């Protein structure tokens, strides 16, 4: 069904059906874990937007959403970046159950920085939910509470993930051709 028509794409790693199925399963885990509470989903712009909205639609407890944007000082994938917040949350998170929603946890630098920053604002709980977890490239250890897929060390696009800002809107996750 999802025939890639993008020249830079090598192969599809997870089809739209597989992605949607895993999102439903992880949403069920989240609903069970936070049952009886309200949950705040915090999305990291722009990559997590597609995953966050799909996830939120499947969660069966009341959710609030907020977004932040970060800028990383290294454009080079592989070079660990110095991370800072480029757009902060609209509202505080004190006393709330907070789930940081990421497209991918790679080296872990972004996630660790955001966890440390958000923890300082006094949430009642704070955890990470990521669509993709690329553990082979992890440099700093971060606790990943919920993940849809673990992936090997290939650059991927789709479901919010971009290559030069393109391909975020693909419904599937695909591996880029080497050297693309
Ligand atoms: P980390 O700080 O190394 O964990 O970086 C995570 C960020 O790098 C993600 O939020 C993405 O924006 C970006 N990134 C890492 N790997 C990929 C990839 O395979 N495709 C697209 N973006 C990626
Ligand atoms: Mg990102």
């Amino acid at each position: 069904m999802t025939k890639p028509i993008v020249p830079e794409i090598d192969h599809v790693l997870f089809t739209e059906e597989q992605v949607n199925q895993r999102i439903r399963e992880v949403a069920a885990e989240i609903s069970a874990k936070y049952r009886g509470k309200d949950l705040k989903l915090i999305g990291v712009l722009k990559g997590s937007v597609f995953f966050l909205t799909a996830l939120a639609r499947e969660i069966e407890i009341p959710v609030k959403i907020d977004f932040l944007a970060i800028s990383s000082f290294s454009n080079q994938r592989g070079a660990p970046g110095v991370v800072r917040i480029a757009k902060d949350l609209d509202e505080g998170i004190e006393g709330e159950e907070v789930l940081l929603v990421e497209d991918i946890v790679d080296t872990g630098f972004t996630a660790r920085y955001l966890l440390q920053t958000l923890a300082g604002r006094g949430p009642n709980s704070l955890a990470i939910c990521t669509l993709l977890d690329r553990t082979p490239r992890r440099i700093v250890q971060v606790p990943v509470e919920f993940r849809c897929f673990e992936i090997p060390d290939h650059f991927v696009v789709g479901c919010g993930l971009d290559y030069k800002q393109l391909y975020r809107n693909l419904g599937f996750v695909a591996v880029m051709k080497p050297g693309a």
Side-chain angles (χ1 to χ4, degrees):
M1 181 197 163
T2 45
K3 263 259 143 36
I5 45 164
V6 183
E8 286 101 337
I9 281 177
D10 192 72
H11 63 278
V12 173
L13 197 55
F14 307 114
T15 66
E16 194 164 344
E17 289 73 19
Q18 288 173 313
V19 170
N20 292 338
Q21 175 61 29
R22 273 304 288 154
I23 290 176
R24 278 193 293 274
E25 290 167 5
V26 170
E29 283 177 42
I30 292 169
S31 302
K33 171 97 190 264
Y34 295 94
R35 185 75 62 197
K37 298 170 180 163
D38 293 353
L39 178 64
K40 179 171 278 183
L41 303 178
I42 292 183
V44 184
L45 296 171
K46 309 186 225 5
S48 74
V49 167
F50 292 83
F51 175 47
L52 182 143
T53 54
L55 186 72
R57 289 289 297 269
E58 299 292 340
I59 291 177
E60 291 178 332
I61 56 169
V63 297
K64 300 177 183 177
I65 62 170
D66 204 346
F67 293 97
L68 54 77
I70 51 145
S71 66
S72 181
F73 285 95
S74 66
N75 283 336
Q76 225 57 31
R77 173 178 173 265
V82 179
V83 185
R84 70 169 181 88
I85 291 182
K87 177 232 173 285
D88 209 334
L89 299 173
D90 288 338
E91 292 175 349
I93 55 170
E94 196 177 340
E96 296 191 279
E97 318 301 324
V98 173
L99 195 55
L100 182 65
V101 180
E102 265 284 20
D103 50 358
I104 184 166
V105 179
D106 189 27
T107 63
F109 280 106
T110 307
R112 184 181 63 174
Y113 169 78
L114 290 175
L115 278 186
Q116 284 173 350
T117 304
L118 296 176
R121 301 180 185 186
N124 193 53
S125 70
L126 178 60
I128 297 180
C129 175
T130 188
L131 176 66
L132 305 176
D133 191 359
R134 193 192 280 120
T135 50
R137 279 172 43 84
R138 195 62 41 82
I139 296 173
V140 294
Q141 294 312 310
V142 283
V144 177
E145 201 94 3
F146 306 97
R147 73 172 62 74
C148 292
F149 302 100
E150 283 202 54
I151 62 164
D153 189 7
H154 297 301
F155 192 82
V156 293
V157 294
C159 296
L161 292 122
D162 72 300
Y163 170 66
K164 295 184 178 172
Q165 298 302 328
L166 288 170
Y167 312 134
R168 295 189 195 275
N169 60 324
L170 299 176
F172 49 89
V173 176
V175 173
M176 297 290 288
K177 281 191 179 132

